[in-house]
Amino acid sequence: MIANTSWYLFNFHQGLILDLQEAGWEVETVAPEDDYTVKLQAISQRHHTLHMHRRGGNPLKDLIACRELFCLFRQRQPQAVLNFTPKPNVYGTLAAHWLDIPAINNITGLGTLFAEPTMMNRVAQFLFRISQPKAHHVLFQNQDDRTLFIDRGYVAADKTSRIPGSGIDLNRFIPTEAPNDGIVRFILVARMLRMKGVEEFVEAARQLKAERTDVEFLLLGHVDAGSANSISESQIKAWHKEGVINYLGGVSNVAPKIAQADCVVLPSYYREGVPRSLLEAAAMAKPIITTDTVGCRDAVDHGLTGLICQPRNAQSLKDALTEIANMSHIERIALGQAGRIKMQKSFDVNRVIKAYINLLAPLKESPVLDTLITDTK
């Protein structure tokens, strides 16, 4: 199992790691070192450090990382390689293909890669075009991304399936009622990137706070200094000092913070898979507000579990915030409960785990995967 951070594998796929082991597989993880590497080592049977930077377009460094994966695969001879996040989806697939090892890729969202026609984006698209046909199977977290890859000829339709995001652990994220104290709290949980809609959230908050005193706006997430799309810490502190938002910083466990909120907001225009923060919020029976964009709209049923607003539109977001703020505490709880039911029906992490186990099962008899799973609706 390969990703661009240990944090990603531990936080999003520890259930998959443990369930694959229970099903009789030996699971080895591959990722760069970070604060979660020790935790990942504790649950995988062997961990390998990968010298790959998740950002940056230095082709020499990427080729070195690809060679590193090739040498690792040649040494360990895995029966299958499970790739997550963009660079492993490309370089892990190529390295596995050269050794005739089946690669199963998870397209976790395309971010900015298809947003603007920059040189780096064109190179990334070319790399997807040459690598994904060599994958044994490609899993998509939303139908938009799946359709795009098929239409562009990156992968044949019969080698693809759709899964419900990264899934959500319904035993970890449980319904928690917000305080009924007369204050309606809205929280945005994300990396502090412009394309996550942080600036629109702040502007809508500024306008709404000028009209009423019974609302509070919270930002939760790390500043991603390595991204050109990052919002600076000084800017966030200025908003905090202005009194528009309360910045909570980044935390390893978001559940207690979400628990105190009446509504979780993600006005993203970033090309998401299915945003993890929205799945966590809905699992905790919180109404959500998000945008009519790729991935985001999959997480909400407008008017039933939350509201959908227009991307890059602070006024549309403000209208949605106002609608939630005008509801009674009981009405907000009802939206949240409907969201929890949606998670139980469609986004349980066990659906994702089952998809992987079904894909891997034929390997116990044959070195070649010859059975594909059907679509997960």
Side-chain angles (χ1 to χ4, degrees), residues 195-265:
M195 295 186 76
K196 295 288 186 178
V198 176
E199 292 174 322
E200 287 78 8
F201 179 73
V202 172
E203 179 55 31
R206 183 181 287 114
Q207 294 179 23
L208 199 56
K209 292 195 77 169
E211 298 175 3
R212 55 199 299 168
T213 59
D214 63 341
V215 290
E216 183 179 355
F217 297 89
L218 310 168
L219 285 178
L220 176 65
H222 295 282
V223 173
D224 193 347
S227 170
N229 198 246
S230 179
I231 295 174
S232 68
E233 188 172 356
S234 61
Q235 177 61 78
I236 296 171
K237 287 181 178 179
W239 289 332
H240 185 96
K241 185 176 181 180
E242 182 187 348
V244 180
I245 55 95
N246 290 327
Y247 179 52
L248 306 178
V251 297
S252 58
N253 182 11
V254 300
K257 303 297 183 183
I258 294 175
Q260 296 301 306
D262 294 272
C263 179
V264 175
V265 185

Side-chain angles (χ1 to χ4, degrees), residues 198-375:
V198 176
E199 292 174 322
E200 287 78 8
F201 179 73
V202 172
E203 179 55 31
R206 183 181 287 114
Q207 294 179 23
L208 199 56
K209 292 195 77 169
E211 298 175 3
R212 55 199 299 168
T213 59
D214 63 341
V215 290
E216 183 179 355
F217 297 89
L218 310 168
L219 285 178
L220 176 65
H222 295 282
V223 173
D224 193 347
S227 170
N229 198 246
S230 179
I231 295 174
S232 68
E233 188 172 356
S234 61
Q235 177 61 78
I236 296 171
K237 287 181 178 179
W239 289 332
H240 185 96
K241 185 176 181 180
E242 182 187 348
V244 180
I245 55 95
N246 290 327
Y247 179 52
L248 306 178
V251 297
S252 58
N253 182 11
V254 300
K257 303 297 183 183
I258 294 175
Q260 296 301 306
D262 294 272
C263 179
V264 175
V265 185
L266 185 65
S268 178
Y269 49 97
Y270 186 88
R271 197 173 180 115
E272 308 278 356
V274 178
R276 178 76 173 194
S277 64
L278 297 183
L279 300 185
E280 293 169 349
M284 294 183 68
K286 304 294 181 180
I288 58 182
I289 295 174
T290 192
T291 48
D292 187 15
T293 52
V294 173
C296 293
R297 52 178 166 253
D298 293 60
V300 61
D301 294 329
H302 181 70
L304 298 176
T305 68
L307 300 175
I308 292 178
C309 63
Q310 293 306 305
R312 308 184 81 159
N313 190 325
Q315 182 59 52
S316 178
L317 176 56
K318 182 200 169 190
D319 292 342
L321 294 168
T322 300
E323 186 172 345
I324 294 291
N326 285 339
M327 291 179 181
S328 68
H329 187 66
I330 298 297
E331 288 173 324
R332 288 190 291 271
I333 288 175
L335 284 181
Q337 290 173 336
R340 172 73 181 186
I341 292 171
K342 179 180 177 68
M343 295 301 106
Q344 291 170 329
K345 288 182 176 179
S346 302
F347 287 92
D348 189 333
V349 69
N350 290 316
R351 291 168 63 89
V352 176
I353 293 171
K354 183 179 179 180
Y356 273 102
I357 289 177
N358 287 345
L359 268 175
L360 290 167
L363 279 178
K364 291 188 175 180
E365 291 81 32
S366 169
V368 179
L369 278 169
D370 54 13
T371 302
L372 302 180
I373 61 172
T374 57
D375 292 358

Side-chain angles (χ1 to χ4, degrees), residues 139-157:
L139 299 167
F140 293 88
Q141 297 194 359
N142 63 66
Q143 186 58 41
D144 295 88
D145 290 347
R146 184 184 185 190
T147 299
L148 185 149
F149 270 52
I150 293 171
D151 288 349
R152 292 197 176 196
Y154 293 178
V155 64

